[in-house]
Amino acid sequence: DAGVTQSPTHLIKTRGQHVTLRCSPISGHKSVSWYQQVLGQGPQFIFQYYEKEERGRGNFPDRFSARQFPNYSSELNVNALLLGDSALYLCASSLVQLVGNEQFFGPGTRLTVL
Amino acid sequence: AQTVTQSQPEMSVQEAETVTLSCTYDTSESDYYLFWYKQPPSRQMILVIRQEAYKQQNATENRFSVNFQKAAKSFSLKISDSQLGDAAMYFCAYRFSNTGKLIFGQGTTLQVKP
């Protein structure tokens, strides 16, 4: 079975631009979470979606937004990119939103903002 | 606010020997989950082991075991019979009881020497 997939793998943008990152969860998984991992640090929670509704939001500015589609895939959008947005963006999926459910992570999208 | 602290930025161990990675956390909740994740250079975050806070028994997964001290808010990971493939960044993570949000520590880079 395919794991969590993310696209693109790498992305280079310039300041002020907009970016869309995509995530496909494991088949049957209904919950998707997004994390930002700056080099050398632990991931920081951005959003969680379950059944197409936002269920949690981290301490990120409104430039960050996300949505989940009927097939449970998800997009993370970042507007007005800043140099500090350069990071590895991780997507994780889980079967349901239960606290004990394991989150399976994708390989991430490496975003570089110049 | 909940926080997770890993005080060892780097650790090294000789192949076949045992190493312990430390993690402390701060929370006012009584029901939560704790996790150790492994992130090799390939970037894919992999779950190593999980511990339910309400369980007194320490979790064990093959060569990996934890020492969970709830009163001390300590959650260390012991790797026995270390293998070259264990070399990676290890993250301790806390999961809230009612959401899918994970709070990660800063990570510990483990080097395994042949």
Side-chain angles (χ1 to χ4, degrees):
Chain A
D1 289 340
V4 178
T5 59
Q6 293 186 243
S7 63
T9 304
H10 297 89
L11 201 53
I12 299 175
K13 293 285 188 178
T14 57
R15 282 179 297 175
Q17 285 189 312
H18 162 89
V19 69
T20 298
L21 310 180
R22 295 177 176 82
C23 170
S24 292
I26 292 171
S27 177
H29 283 195
K30 298 181 178 181
S31 179
V32 170
S33 297
W34 286 96
Y35 294 83
Q36 180 196 65
Q37 187 178 17
V38 173
L39 190 63
Q41 297 183 18
Q44 298 286 319
F45 174 77
I46 310 175
F47 286 110
Q48 185 197 23
Y49 277 78
Y50 177 65
E51 288 285 13
K52 302 177 284 295
E53 292 187 4
E54 183 183 303
R55 298 304 180 102
R57 172 185 282 258
N59 188 24
F60 280 80
D62 292 343
R63 299 185 296 108
F64 288 76
S65 63
R67 55 179 175 169
Q68 187 176 33
F69 299 98
N71 67 353
Y72 302 107
S73 66
S74 177
E75 283 183 353
L76 175 70
N77 296 283
V78 187
N79 293 323
L81 285 167
L82 303 174
L83 295 179
D85 295 331
S86 295
L88 179 67
Y89 288 85
L90 297 168
C91 172
S93 78
S94 60
L95 190 60
V96 291
Q97 200 190 350
L98 293 178
V99 63
N101 259 225
E102 178 180 350
Q103 291 192 6
F104 293 84
F105 283 83
T109 293
R110 172 71 65 188
L111 172 65
T112 301
V113 182
L114 302 176
Chain B
Q2 287 80 356
T3 59
V4 177
T5 302
Q6 293 178 250
S7 59
Q8 305 156 315
E10 296 180 357
M11 292 283 285
S12 66
V13 62
Q14 208 68 34
E15 193 176 7
E17 294 192 343
T18 296
V19 65
T20 299
L21 308 184
S22 301
C23 173
T24 58
Y25 60 95
D26 188 23
T27 184
S28 57
E29 295 187 332
S30 59
D31 186 21
Y32 49 88
Y33 279 70
L34 296 165
F35 303 85
W36 279 98
Y37 283 89
K38 170 186 178 181
Q39 188 177 40
S42 66
R43 308 183 321 208
Q44 190 96 29
M45 193 81 74
I46 303 165
L47 178 65
V48 174
I49 199 166
R50 95 180 76 190
Q51 175 76 45
E52 296 92 332
Y54 64 86
K55 288 187 177 180
Q56 292 186 335
Q57 186 174 6
N58 289 325
T60 299
E61 288 287 342
N62 301 314
R63 297 183 296 108
F64 299 87
S65 62
V66 300
N67 183 6
F68 173 50
Q69 301 289 328
K70 190 172 184 179
K73 297 179 181 175
S74 170
F75 182 60
S76 60
L77 174 69
K78 186 173 81 171
I79 306 174
S80 303
D81 185 25
S82 296
Q83 301 175 358
L84 294 178
D86 294 334
M89 178 83 89
Y90 285 82
F91 291 98
C92 176
Y94 170 104
R95 185 163 182 176
F96 288 73
S97 61
N98 59 351
T99 75
K101 178 180 178 180
L102 286 168
I103 302 294
F104 286 87
Q106 305 92 318
T108 295
T109 301
L110 178 64
Q111 181 186 24
V112 181
K113 299 178 180 178

